[in-house]
Amino acid sequence: MNAMKQIAIVVATVIAVLISAAAYAAAPSVARGKQIYMANGCWTCHGTVGQGSFTGLKLAPEPLPLDAMIAFLRSS
């Protein structure tokens, strides 16, 4: 499996976790998002503050725009 496909799988997994977390949380909050992010191990690839690494895309402080994320996922 090539690196881009692995990245796409990780990104898709993160998106799925975030979507399910949003459905679970009655009132979304930054604290709840951080709790989910840390509990699901997202930090292992994306860093503890979303800074990214060679295994995960940068999520903060300047995240990839939604349209660019969608294009990336569809092209992978």
Side-chain angles (χ1 to χ4, degrees):
M1 192 180 304
N2 67 27
M4 290 301 286
K5 192 168 188 173
Q6 288 176 330
I7 291 171
I9 291 169
V10 170
V11 169
T13 302
V14 168
I15 290 170
V17 167
L18 292 175
I19 289 170
S20 66
Y24 172 77
S29 69
V30 172
R32 179 73 179 132
K34 182 176 181 179
Q35 180 185 24
I36 293 167
Y37 182 85
M38 299 303 280
N40 285 296
C42 301
W43 64 272
T44 60
C45 295
H46 297 285
T48 56
V49 292
Q51 75 273 15
S53 70
F54 66 94
T55 58
L57 298 175
K58 177 175 141 180
L59 302 175
E62 300 160 358
L64 194 60
L66 180 59
D67 291 339
M69 175 77 82
I70 291 169
F72 173 78
L73 290 172
R74 289 185 177 163
S75 68
S76 298

